[in-house]
Amino acid sequence: PEYTITDHLKKKYVCKVIPDVGKQHIEYPQSWFSSDRTALMEKLSGVCNDFETSTGWTYQYCPHQHIFRYKEDKTERELIGKFFLTSFYALKESRNLEGSDFDKFAAKEEYFDGNLCQGKSRRATVFISPCSDSELLKVKNVDETNECHTQIHACSSEMREVQPSVPSITEQIAHAFKKIKCLNYFGEGWWSYEFCFNKGVRQFHLVRAKEEGKNFQIHEFKVGTEYSLGEFDPAILATEDEKKIRQRENENSKFLELEYSGGSPCEFFSGGLEEQETIKGQARSSTIRFHCGKNLAIDGVVEDYTCHYIFSISVPDLCLHPLLRPSITAVHEIQCL
């Protein structure tokens, strides 16, 4: 669509909004794979496949060996690269906003030391994905946009065995807290907070302790008052992930919710007598909301009602999980004439 836009100088422009199909690239951790991909690649040893491009060059790809290119009459033959290494660091996927199937790359190979090109050796990168048919090896495309570095997309039916075994969300959260056992949150108010995945939730107030010497002064803090806001119970992990997922109001983002109950008895009241009688002596509890985020951290703490708290915790590992992965945002370019 076209729009007429007037700037602050009252100059008019005719502008077009150009839709851009957003893309998302995902790399899964090595720990998600059980297949021995080295053994799968070895099955391709000695197999070659040719692919002719529109420029007249035919590329011959032989996994774990070399890549050549030649003209149809075979009078010209160039070495694009010798096999250097295969990377199995991840299954890499890309998808677009139209919801089409993923392109899956199960392996990546690097080839170096080809014929000279502009004073440097030619090289190539090969992405190998699972074939949808029974082809043992098939070159699907050759990208010649970079004259000295060729990209080849190939597929093999052997790679169909390479599929990620996606752990549950709670398994990913537990894995994230293996090294960092606890998280602290120091707000601007009186209370500070601590969350330990396999232990519980704590609210505490820090008291400054001062030690003085002749030529120095050390400021230390110690915990004064503290309360348990809920204890970890392994039973909370038994429920299926789908039943623990919630969505933020007016937002596309989702989070997984776990309840930590059985904390310290509730003693303080901010409501009327009726509320006091209802809450007095009840155990404090917390709702923990885990979501995708750049850092493993507590984003915020809210006491939504007396002696009940909501913790928002970001976990980078959750950004890969299909159930909590952020949706793709469409980007539109505006061109004004």
Side-chain angles (χ1 to χ4, degrees):
E2 290 188 354
Y3 301 91
T4 300
I5 297 176
T6 304
D7 66 11
H8 67 289
L9 297 175
K10 297 186 178 181
K11 189 174 181 180
K12 291 186 177 182
Y13 299 87
V14 177
C15 301
K16 283 184 177 181
V17 177
I18 302 172
D20 177 31
V21 178
K23 292 184 178 179
Q24 185 178 50
H25 300 283
I26 304 154
E27 290 186 8
Y28 292 120
Q30 175 74 30
S31 58
W32 287 21
F33 299 93
S34 57
S35 302
D36 183 355
R37 284 174 284 179
T38 303
L40 295 178
M41 286 299 298
E42 286 176 354
K43 292 182 181 180
L44 302 181
S45 181
V47 179
C48 298
N49 188 250
D50 291 5
F51 182 88
E52 185 176 355
T53 66
S54 58
T55 60
W57 286 103
T58 295
Y59 287 78
Q60 183 185 68
Y61 166 53
C62 302
H64 276 49
Q65 297 176 65
H66 56 252
I67 299 171
F68 280 100
R69 75 173 183 175
Y70 56 87
K71 292 289 187 179
E72 189 176 352
D73 58 7
K74 297 192 177 182
T75 54
E76 292 184 65
R77 182 177 171 88
E78 293 182 351
L79 175 65
I80 299 299
K82 301 174 186 175
F83 173 72
F84 179 68
L85 80 127
T86 303
S87 299
F88 297 116
Y89 56 87
L91 178 73
K92 188 170 184 176
E93 298 185 350
S94 64
R95 60 175 178 167
N96 60 33
L97 282 170
E98 297 171 346
S100 62
D101 293 337
F102 287 96
D103 293 323
K104 299 182 179 181
F105 307 118
K108 183 176 79 169
E109 290 191 324
E110 298 289 353
Y111 289 75
F112 293 95
D113 296 331
N115 290 139
L116 286 178
C117 173
Q118 299 177 6
K120 298 183 294 184
S121 296
R122 292 185 183 275
R123 63 190 184 93
T125 301
V126 182
F127 296 99
I128 308 169
S129 60
C131 274
S132 56
D133 49 30
S134 59
E135 293 272 3
L136 182 61
L137 181 66
K138 180 181 180 181
V139 176
K140 298 165 66 178
N141 184 51
V142 176
D143 184 355
E144 298 176 300
T145 52
N146 187 325
E147 187 177 348
C148 301
H149 179 208
T150 304
Q151 280 197 2
I152 295 177
H153 290 248
C155 72
S156 170
S157 56
E158 293 294 335
M159 291 295 122
R160 281 187 293 188
E161 296 183 31
V162 182
Q163 294 296 333
S165 177
V166 182
S168 70
I169 298 175
T170 48
E171 285 174 337
Q172 282 188 271
I173 295 170
H175 182 265
F177 280 92
K178 275 188 175 181
K179 290 184 178 179
I180 301 176
K181 303 294 183 184
C182 301
L183 297 175
N184 289 309
Y185 182 79
F186 301 101
E188 296 179 358
W190 180 268
W191 295 109
S192 298
Y193 300 89
E194 179 185 69
F195 171 77
C196 304
F197 180 73
N198 287 314
K199 185 178 179 183
V201 194
R202 185 170 66 127
Q203 178 189 55
F204 57 93
H205 173 63
L206 291 175
V207 179
R208 178 174 290 180
K210 183 172 70 173
E211 181 182 342
E212 295 184 355
K214 186 175 181 180
N215 297 315
F216 65 89
Q217 183 172 296
I218 298 175
H219 291 277
E220 295 181 347
F221 291 88
K222 64 180 181 180
V223 174
T225 310
E226 67 174 296
Y227 297 97
S228 168
L229 303 185
E231 301 296 327
F232 172 75
D233 181 355
I236 65 176
L237 306 181
T239 310
E240 294 178 5
D241 283 346
E242 289 82 353
K243 296 180 180 178
K244 298 193 285 276
I245 290 177
R246 306 287 183 269
Q247 185 160 339
R248 300 183 193 278
E249 292 183 13
N250 304 319
E251 293 184 32
N252 291 326
S253 60
K254 296 180 180 180
F255 55 86
L256 180 131
E257 216 171 59
L258 295 179
E259 295 290 335
Y260 282 62
S261 56
S264 303
C266 192
E267 301 169 352
F268 298 98
F269 313 102
S270 57
L273 290 174
E274 185 177 343
E275 183 184 0
Q276 292 182 24
E277 290 301 321
T278 304
I279 295 176
K280 185 177 180 180
Q282 286 190 6
R284 288 174 166 85
S285 61
S286 298
T287 298
I288 315 298
R289 294 176 174 175
F290 300 95
H291 62 92
C292 159
K294 291 183 179 180
N295 301 303
L296 182 60
I298 299 174
D299 297 329
V301 180
V302 176
E303 187 175 6
D304 58 332
Y305 60 86
T306 306
C307 293
H308 182 268
Y309 303 80
I310 296 178
F311 284 68
S312 176
I313 298 180
S314 62
V315 184
D317 290 6
L318 299 187
C319 299
L320 295 174
H321 201 284
L323 295 176
L324 293 181
R325 193 159 53 206
S327 58
I328 311 170
T329 303
V331 178
H332 299 280
E333 179 185 347
I334 298 178
Q335 288 185 352
C336 296
L337 306 176

